[in-house]
Amino acid sequence: QVHLVESGGGLVQPGRSLTLSCAASEFTFSTYVMHWVRQAPGKGLQWLAGISYNGKNKYYADSVRGRFTISRDNSKSMLSLQMNRLRPEDTAIYFCAREMSASRFVDVWGQGATVTVSS
Amino acid sequence: EIVLTQSPATLSLSPGERATLSCRASQSVSRYLAWYQQKPGQAPRLLIYDTSNRATGIPARFSGSGSETDFTLTISSLEPEDFAIYYCHQRGDWPPSFGQGTKVEIK
């Protein structure tokens, strides 16, 4: 069964950094576009970043461009999100998600990693 | 950025009733509109993509329609497991965006 598992979440102070990882299994990771989406407590969904299948093209929401970096290691079937200069408003559940091969939409989501930014 | 406005914010219905959820885009997204269902403590689940295509394993009671700026998700007869929050999502223009959600609750 196709699986995405995020890790690396936790409590971090404002201004510090944190890196999330997403381990993919049971599909050919290297052929799929991948994304990060987050959800603040009690709020809706916010797209953050996407990366092409080979990692050459990266896309960011304005709210995180310059602070967050998406990357992938196809040899390890791993997606990452490096988050720098974290702010309290970055507190959220962070989901990694796989984009469908037949469409632009994500069809597989991880269970999410919780990031809390607080002093 | 394209803004997606969902209505109503909350829909109070009974099992067996028909649910009609609306999503309006601030500008055309062509047919690049999807619907997701989310239950508490869970990740979203793709229901409909490209306006009207049901995702794998999604029951036929879920259907999508619309184009350009106006889209509808219809649940023909609500089952107990359908009470959840539903989000529309566009990939017709950059950056991708989500609606604020419609909560379908038990009346």
Side-chain angles (χ1 to χ4, degrees):
Chain A
Q1 184 177 354
V2 173
H3 219 46
L4 295 171
V5 178
E6 300 93 338
S7 60
L11 174 64
V12 60
Q13 293 179 328
R16 303 298 291 266
S17 299
L18 196 66
T19 298
L20 301 180
S21 297
C22 172
S25 59
E26 303 303 323
F27 68 98
T28 307
F29 179 75
S30 61
T31 65
Y32 285 86
V33 175
M34 299 294 295
H35 298 267
W36 286 98
V37 176
R38 72 183 178 186
Q39 186 169 37
K43 302 298 184 182
L45 300 165
Q46 181 188 16
W47 176 83
L48 294 179
I51 187 169
S52 61
Y53 70 98
N54 58 7
K56 289 185 177 180
N57 296 302
K58 304 176 182 182
Y59 311 91
Y60 298 95
D62 286 347
S63 58
V64 303
R65 184 178 292 112
R67 295 192 303 126
F68 291 11
T69 301
I70 188 172
S71 62
R72 66 191 299 160
D73 184 339
N74 286 341
S75 69
K76 298 180 179 178
S77 296
M78 193 75 73
L79 179 72
S80 296
L81 184 69
Q82 181 178 351
M83 304 182 291
N84 297 329
R85 303 195 304 277
L86 283 162
R87 306 165 179 168
E89 55 265 36
D90 294 319
T91 294
I93 298 173
Y94 286 72
F95 297 98
C96 69
R98 184 189 80 170
E99 183 174 304
M100 300 171 69
S101 55
S103 173
R104 304 179 181 184
F105 295 100
V106 296
D107 64 338
V108 178
W109 299 68
Q111 86 289 350
T114 299
V115 173
T116 303
V117 184
S118 175
S119 54
Chain B
E1 175 176 334
I2 293 179
V3 175
L4 299 178
T5 302
Q6 293 187 238
S7 61
T10 304
L11 199 51
S12 298
L13 296 169
S14 301
E17 290 194 294
R18 183 184 188 89
T20 303
L21 288 67
S22 174
C23 177
R24 177 161 290 179
S26 58
Q27 61 190 76
S28 174
V29 299
S30 185
R31 292 184 60 82
Y32 298 111
L33 194 286
W35 292 92
Y36 293 87
Q37 176 194 68
Q38 189 178 34
K39 297 179 180 179
Q42 296 184 16
R45 177 174 72 142
L46 178 65
L47 301 174
I48 301 288
Y49 66 94
D50 294 348
T51 299
S52 58
N53 296 309
R54 271 190 303 276
T56 302
I58 301 303
R61 64 180 181 273
F62 292 93
S63 64
S65 62
S67 66
E68 306 294 341
T69 60
D70 287 287
F71 299 87
T72 300
L73 173 70
T74 301
I75 310 171
S76 59
S77 178
L78 283 164
E79 297 288 338
E81 62 268 27
D82 298 337
F83 292 92
I85 298 176
Y86 293 82
Y87 294 96
C88 59
H89 174 44
Q90 69 81 20
R91 289 296 308 273
D93 196 12
W94 208 260
S97 54
F98 290 88
Q100 83 282 11
T102 289
K103 181 179 182 180
V104 179
E105 64 177 23
I106 300 176
K107 186 174 181 180

